[in-house]
Amino acid sequence: MLLQYTISYHPLAEQEYYDSILWYEKNHTGLGERFISEIEKAVLLIERNPFMFPIKKFRMRETVVKYFLI
């Protein structure tokens, strides 16, 4: 049987995400969209392969988002 996992976001992390999108877009048109794309890729990877990422604080897994340039 295939286990299903749920991605959840702490409210402060979610707010920081939206603030970051606005900041990137304000500083360079299109960069906010690129940021969204990189976050979505990382979240999808965690969702599909959760055990490839280390457990950090509070039994949560995390990854580093790919660095991107203007």
Side-chain angles (χ1 to χ4, degrees), residues 9 12-22 32 35-37 39-40:
Y9 301 90
L12 293 176
E14 192 169 9
Q15 185 59 53
E16 183 177 351
Y17 172 63
Y18 292 124
D19 291 346
S20 297
I21 293 168
L22 294 174
F35 177 71
I36 291 169
S37 177
I39 295 294
E40 287 177 353

Side-chain angles (χ1 to χ4, degrees), residues 25-51:
E25 196 60 34
K26 178 182 170 186
N27 285 282
H28 193 277
T29 302
L31 199 54
E33 288 295 322
R34 290 180 54 205
F35 177 71
I36 291 169
S37 177
E38 291 303 321
I39 295 294
E40 287 177 353
K41 284 183 211 176
V43 169
L44 186 59
L45 189 58
I46 292 171
E47 191 174 46
R48 290 182 177 168
N49 306 289
F51 297 109

